[in-house]
Amino acid sequence: MDSSRVSAIKVWRLGEPGAGTDVSAVCRVCLPRVCTTWLRNSYQSVWDKFKSQTTSNFHRKFYHYGTFPEGFSWGISSSAYQIEGGWNADGKGPSIWDTFTQTTDTIPDKANGNVACDSYNRLNEDLYMLRALRVKSYRFSLSWSRIFPDGTRKSLNQKGVDYYNRLIDGLIAYNIKPMVTLYHWDLPEALQKVNGWESAEMIDIFNDYCDFCFATFGDRVKFWITLNQPQTIAWSGYGLGNMPPNVVDPGYRPYIVAHNLIKAHAKAYHTYDDKYRQSQGGLISIALNADWFEPADVNVVREVVTADRAMQFQLGWFAHPIFKNGDYPDALKWQVGNKSEIQGLPQSRLPSFTEEEKNSIKGTADVFCVNHYTTKIVSHVTARLQPHSYEWDRDMREAEEPDSPTTAIPNQKAVAWGLRRLLNWIKEEYGDPEIYITENGAAVEWDDSERVMFYKTYIDEALKANNLDGVRLQGYTATAFMDSFEWLHGYKFLFGLHHVDFTNPDRPRTPKYSAHYYYNIIKNNGFPFPDDEKMLYGHFREDFMWSTASSAYQVTYTFTAILLLRS
Ligand code: BGC
């Protein structure tokens, strides 16, 4: 019996729906859940569907010509802390990223976002570039502490509001749809002082901030994203602790913080739904990060189960409650519950939702927004039990995809075919939602033509998902608008389609080759069949004679055999 079955049994003993049931009864219930149901499950079909391509680079890499549906939302992204600068301008309060970057020496060159691209003072340049690129949407985030310096409404900073009004009005004037992220990691420092996302009080505090933003900007903003990458917030901020607020507690706090984030998202969704949707008519969702996980051996069921588990631990942690049933995926409940029991804990480290909470979380996103960068190869391991950790709870080992080009960031290989599979998985797993890719891009060493290749291949895989697999893809967002502060990498690894000269106080911006290339993709709405290749394709004359050939010696034996069988 493999360990995933053992987990299942044990968790059901601990666990929510089956608590108190005796083991033999549980076995009858849960074994089919792991085996039969699993084998029938839709997401297995995604690995199955692409199985034949796994060994054949030709199929995996063939180039697909075609265009996206009319009205496809081509966009580009940034976030407040990465580009704005003006960290204390005009009454802005500090955020946890200001505090962190100004005190740590772990970021290359001790870089920070104090000035960054200086977008706070260079709005017109930014608008000009967006217009030149002809994007249909611009994804940016609001700096919470620029609007509410201490995180709450009573500290309202009108100058911060004015800045975003100018930005939004400028976009509308150029016919660019604002896609606004309410929270892209830069929590007001004042809220961190009262325990930040560890505290359930944040649910109401965040909701009030969102309420203010909907009321203030919602007449023009029709696409809201509550949180950017809650998995990163929970794991990097509270597990690994390499991002602010730098809490190192891999076994507990990530789960607690994620729990609060999910509830905070759901509450903000309902506020929009109840108070604003009817008059404003916009959409609201959450941007979830997802790598694609490919099993080390697609023919070994246990490895495919592991790849599925990896998907559930990263994407499903948030997507399952929001897009499915208000609750965590079984894989998470089983794994964390089982490990917790073996670790001698009185209850699972994974908190549980009440029925009322489940009902209020379920269905709280109008479209599926996904940020995607890379693919990993995973295989099963029975991971260690100490220290307690989300990472070990997954029982898996990650490796790099061997055949794909590297990018500047060591663990982010450019594995374009992974995007198509990811989109298929989302389609199957979450009931064919409308999907927006809200981030996709690469940092490259020197040569921007590598970034061009990245976009060419990744967008082509998105096109295949849309045109060949029936994925309902509505939009694509390239990351990033311009070179900017890349969090823990500082200014060392840059994702921009526009170069920014950070040595010059004017921060001049210059489009790169990739900006020109992306402009053309947008203009063509994809990759229409090129004229110079059309001549290679065509039809023969009407009376052209199609035939086939054989020779007596080659076929006689077969004919004889058939005659013998018939007689
Ligand atoms: C973040 C972006 C960032 C990108 C590349 C993503 O996880 O959401 O803000 O630019 O990573 O570092």
Side-chain angles (χ1 to χ4, degrees), residues 243-378:
M243 283 192 174
N246 309 100
V247 178
V248 182
D249 181 20
Y252 293 82
R253 284 193 183 78
Y255 294 121
I256 294 164
V257 164
H259 210 63
N260 290 335
L261 290 168
I262 292 167
K263 290 198 240 176
H265 157 80
K267 182 145 193 175
Y269 176 92
H270 287 296
T271 296
Y272 188 76
D273 210 33
D274 298 345
K275 287 176 72 174
Y276 300 101
R277 189 192 294 282
Q278 207 183 0
S279 58
Q280 298 183 353
L283 294 176
I284 177 162
S285 187
I286 179 168
L288 303 177
N289 52 305
D291 299 332
W292 174 246
F293 293 101
E294 190 67 19
D297 186 341
V298 75
N299 296 305
V300 175
V301 171
R302 189 170 75 164
E303 301 294 50
V304 181
V305 174
T306 304
D308 176 67
R309 194 163 63 242
M311 293 301 302
Q312 298 295 355
F313 262 80
Q314 190 188 50
L315 179 60
W317 191 4
F318 300 89
H320 197 281
I322 293 169
F323 290 90
K324 290 195 94 165
N325 64 356
D327 200 3
Y328 295 116
D330 283 349
L332 235 85
K333 293 200 288 185
W334 292 344
Q335 289 287 126
V336 186
N338 184 42
K339 299 257 178 192
S340 303
E341 188 185 321
I342 300 170
Q343 285 156 348
L345 302 171
Q347 63 193 41
S348 174
R349 284 180 280 108
L350 183 73
S352 49
F353 295 114
T354 64
E355 286 310 308
E356 197 187 332
E357 286 167 348
K358 286 182 200 166
N359 287 331
S360 78
I361 291 165
K362 188 168 80 182
T364 53
D366 299 321
V367 291
F368 202 105
C369 295
V370 65
N371 295 356
H372 175 69
Y373 288 91
T374 194
T375 285
K376 298 278 167 58
I377 307 298
V378 287

Side-chain angles (χ1 to χ4, degrees), residues 79 82 184-185 228-229 232 371 373 439 479 486-487 495:
S79 85
Q82 292 181 274
H184 199 121
W185 306 352
N228 182 64
Q229 301 194 184
T232 309
N371 295 356
Y373 288 91
E439 280 182 28
T479 297
E486 282 303 337
W487 310 110
F495 283 72

